[in-house]
Amino acid sequence: MSSNPERAGLRIPHSGGSKVVRLSTPLDLSVLSSLKAGDEVLLSGRVLTARDQAHRRFVGLLKKGSGLPVDVKGRIIYYCGPTKTRPGAIIGSCGPTTSGRMDEMTVPLLAAGLKGMIGKGRRSQKVRQAVKKYKAVYFLATGGAGALLSKKVRALRRVCFSDLGPEAVAELTVKDFPLIVGIDTRGNDIFK
Amino acid sequence: MRKISAKDIQECVRRLAQKANFSLRADVQRAILAAFRKEKSSRGRKILSELLENARAARNDSLALCQDTGLPVVFLEIGPDVDLRGVDVAAAVQKGAAQGYREGFLRTSIVEDPLRRGRPKFGPCVLHTAFVRRKGLKVTILPKGFGCENKTQLRMLPPTAQKDCVEDVIVSVVKDAGPDACPPYIIGVGIGGTSDYACQLAKEALLRPIHKRSRLKHVAEMERSLINRLNRLGLGPMGLGGSTTVLGVNILTYPTHIAGLPICVNISCHVLRSASDVL
């Protein structure tokens, strides 16, 4: 593996000791539960973007017992609010935002069947326990690399809450999106 | 006198807003490359190489380095020869920033009402002005991302606090930020003045090239000591372990009151963005 930063990239994942797993959606729960904290993952398929305000609305709707505008069962939520899309482009810069802000709003979504989250940074004890309970996975993406990550997005479809601007919910189709397992289905946490 | 028009200011801010968001500062880029060469953790090296690749992709495609294009903070340093009679300076700055963000396809990250929130817009930015001795009008824009801005801390230490105590405060703020705010960090510190001024100094400290140490010998020593201490924390790139926790520590000081020692620590993620020009 070349150690030249001019050439090193996301195209050729190198493990640094841990294994690289290809994961696709719809999620195969047996593959999901085989993942271990620290594993590198290349994700292909569809994820939903949602961050602070979309979470607030989701949780509000769940509390009222109403359905969500989009079913999160079996799906992955990416904590991401992209920049504007240039004409002819698929998406703008689109890296992860800090996950911790979503901690207080995460457990109801896991209870509703959410199976994966993508963000950056630590999660609370409560989230860790719920990830274990509901056999979900928390993934890390490299923060501050939004221009590079935009190359991994093949399509964007607007889903709901368009009034939230960059915080609107969209469905992204990604190809070989590079991730690291942060918390696995057994509740092991890369930061612990 | 140097007559400067609203148009000149607007155009300058527009251009700098895009430059700051598309082109990683040369000093930051050099620091990441140097860290990449020194970093012992292979995962850390991989992340640092991604950051260099990201900087190239952003510049080549005029894409934002980070999707969080921040809350732009604009500094105007007004020299004695600058003639701004009849110019609505604040309006020109706001127009330029919003135009730069809109035309650069950056992000609408700013809500008009912090309590009721609402649909985010491109502005307004925060504007600081200062009257300086240097000629001309220096315009600087610092788009501050909020993942790291959220980790800012202000402490009002007692005036008898020793140097070690000041260092400990700075280290504890970085530890609190932990892996959440995109390390390796650049730490801006403001010491002295009043509570509000310490916060402004901490932000301004981020504008100094990160390889340059303070001109005050004892402050430069503190910066060096902190760089060593912080890099020994082992947090590493994205907090996944390694010897690169900070790329720099910049401290600015100002005279303060006999009863106090304000200290503000402003953390910047590795995507420290700013751009300047003199009109």
Side-chain angles (χ1 to χ4, degrees), chain B:
Chain B
M1 291 295 277
R2 187 187 304 235
K3 180 89 186 129
I4 295 171
S5 71
K7 262 234 162 73
D8 296 337
I9 295 171
Q10 183 180 334
E11 170 54 23
C12 180
V13 175
R14 182 201 65 78
R15 188 167 44 78
L16 294 178
Q18 296 189 6
K19 185 182 172 196
N21 275 292
F22 297 153
S23 309
L24 191 60
R25 253 167 60 170
D27 58 327
V28 177
Q29 179 135 351
R30 274 196 301 273
I32 294 175
L33 184 60
F36 168 82
R37 290 183 178 135
K38 275 202 301 200
E39 178 58 63
K40 290 201 172 66
S41 144
S42 62
R43 176 156 275 162
R45 261 202 320 281
K46 187 182 174 198
I47 291 167
L48 293 170
S49 78
E50 285 170 13
L51 303 185
L52 294 167
E53 206 180 334
N54 183 65
R56 203 165 43 246
R59 181 174 293 129
N60 289 345
D61 300 353
S62 294
L63 259 173
L65 285 153
C66 175
Q67 75 290 339
D68 185 356
T69 54
L71 200 167
V73 183
V74 174
F75 300 87
L76 293 183
E77 293 164 74
I78 306 155
D81 59 332
V82 172
D83 179 359
L84 289 167
R85 275 177 299 176
V87 177
D88 187 344
V89 176
V93 168
Q94 297 297 354
K95 272 189 203 160
Q99 188 189 359
Y101 270 63
R102 192 183 327 106
E103 293 174 0
F105 293 88
L106 301 175
R107 196 173 75 175
T108 51
S109 307
I110 299 153
V111 287
E112 177 94 35
D113 185 323
L115 298 173
R116 290 148 79 190
R117 315 302 293 186
R119 193 186 188 102
K121 297 183 178 146
F122 286 119
C125 56
V126 168
L127 175 58
H128 293 295
T129 51
F131 294 98
V132 299
R133 235 178 300 172
R134 191 185 37 240
K135 284 188 172 178
L137 175 69
K138 187 173 182 188
V139 182
T140 299
I141 188 166
L142 172 87
K144 189 61 166 51
F146 252 60
C148 55
E149 185 70 357
N150 280 335
K151 305 295 182 186
T152 303
Q153 290 188 37
L154 169 72
R155 303 273 175 88
M156 302 302 281
L157 298 182
T160 49
Q162 300 295 299
K163 178 178 139 285
D164 288 354
C165 175
V166 171
E167 283 195 23
D168 290 347
V169 164
I170 296 164
V171 172
S172 80
V173 174
V174 176
K175 278 180 158 173
D176 286 350
D180 297 350
C182 291
Y185 299 129
I186 297 96
I187 315 297
V189 183
I191 303 176
T194 47
S195 59
D196 56 321
Y197 198 56
C199 291
Q200 188 179 326
L201 284 176
K203 183 92 14 81
E204 279 179 27
L206 295 173
L207 299 175
R208 194 176 80 205
I210 58 178
H211 55 275
K212 282 201 176 151
R213 299 278 61 84
S214 170
R215 268 179 297 185
L216 302 170
K217 207 173 147 215
H218 64 294
V219 177
E221 257 169 43
M222 185 182 276
E223 290 173 343
R224 275 190 283 270
S225 158
L226 281 162
I227 290 169
N228 288 330
R229 268 183 80 178
L230 293 167
N231 281 332
R232 280 199 304 267
L233 291 176
L235 194 59
M238 292 314 288
L240 295 172
S243 50
T244 316
T245 297
V246 297
L247 297 172
V249 175
N250 287 1
I251 302 175
L252 288 180
T253 60
Y254 193 80
T256 194
H257 194 277
I258 50 171
L261 177 48
I263 167 164
C264 177
V265 184
N266 191 294
I267 291 187
S268 171
C269 61
H270 55 73
V271 192
L272 170 55
R273 290 151 287 178
S274 70
S276 296
D277 205 356
V278 179
L279 291 175

Side-chain angles (χ1 to χ4, degrees), chain A residues 120-159:
Chain A
K120 66 178 171 86
R122 296 164 293 193
R123 306 308 303 263
S124 66
Q125 172 76 9
K126 253 195 229 163
V127 168
R128 207 163 28 247
Q129 284 165 349
V131 162
K132 185 178 174 183
K133 179 176 173 189
Y134 295 107
K135 303 237 170 297
V137 171
Y138 166 56
F139 299 97
L140 305 169
T142 299
L148 198 53
L149 289 172
S150 73
K151 316 277 181 212
K152 307 293 177 184
V153 178
R154 298 297 145 90
L156 178 152
R157 183 174 71 84
R158 291 172 204 289
V159 175

